[in-house]
Amino acid sequence: MARLMLSPYLYSVREMDSIKKMQYYQKEQNGYLKVQGTRPQSLGFGLGDSPIGLLGWLVEKFYEWMDVANYQMPDDEILTFVMMHWMQGATPGLRYYKMAFAEEGEFSTKKTFTRYFNVPTGLSHFPQEMSLSPYDWVAWVANEQFRREHDRGGHFAAVECPELLVQDLRDWFSSDVVRSAMQG
């Protein structure tokens, strides 16, 4: 807690913006986590029964989590997203959260900050992502070997600015760090 109180002195402006976004997200926008983490099947039935309901659910996420100042999702793309989720049934995409937020289990996010991942890790930071961690937080849990910060993009960077994400993937996977890890 003391570290968070001292954060204006310990973190860059960008990291402070990230912390503020995370705090806002935790307070105002994580209700979907509670529902999907506890009752995904109930939500899945409702969203799976109504493409209009699913449209409303997804558009809200797009608006809140995308860099809308730099990217406006075209209507046909929105409809494609909705149909991709609706045709397969909405439940599979929702059930992930039940597993991830379980108290126990291999995929439990409750263990995120309790173990260190030594596997070389690459990160792309997009400014409108709702959960960008300060760099020292990442260092506690991951062997970060690659980081690139972008001036646009959000949670759906693969849609908003695919060229940036693809370049990061190309640069990361062609790096000496990854080559060495793959051989060892």
Side-chain angles (χ1 to χ4, degrees), residues 67-167:
D67 183 1
V68 294
N70 290 302
Y71 181 79
Q72 296 293 317
M73 186 180 267
D75 291 347
D76 63 325
E77 219 169 272
I78 292 172
L79 293 175
T80 299
F81 260 81
V82 170
M83 291 308 294
M84 283 174 26
H85 285 82
W86 190 69
M87 294 300 284
Q88 71 167 354
T91 305
L94 304 172
R95 290 200 58 77
Y96 160 78
Y97 294 89
K98 176 103 173 149
M99 291 173 44
F101 290 95
E103 290 296 322
E104 299 295 326
E106 181 181 356
F107 302 107
S108 175
T109 57
K110 303 279 185 194
K111 298 177 182 175
T112 299
F113 291 101
T114 63
R115 59 184 169 183
Y116 181 79
F117 293 94
N118 197 37
V119 174
T121 303
L123 299 174
S124 296
H125 287 254
F126 296 92
Q128 294 305 313
E129 175 60 68
M130 66 264 190
S131 61
L132 287 175
S133 297
Y135 304 133
D136 61 337
W137 296 11
V138 174
W140 292 338
V141 297
N143 178 14
E144 182 185 1
Q145 296 293 315
F146 174 91
R147 172 188 301 138
R148 185 159 296 146
E149 293 183 358
H150 297 283
D151 59 359
R152 62 187 172 96
H155 184 70
F156 300 99
V159 173
E160 301 168 71
C161 46
E163 71 287 353
L164 297 177
L165 183 59
V166 167
Q167 189 60 53

Side-chain angles (χ1 to χ4, degrees), residues 10-23:
L10 299 173
Y11 297 118
S12 68
V13 170
R14 187 175 195 131
E15 289 174 304
M16 283 304 301
D17 286 345
S18 296
I19 290 171
K20 288 176 186 169
K21 271 191 194 103
M22 281 191 294
Q23 289 171 332

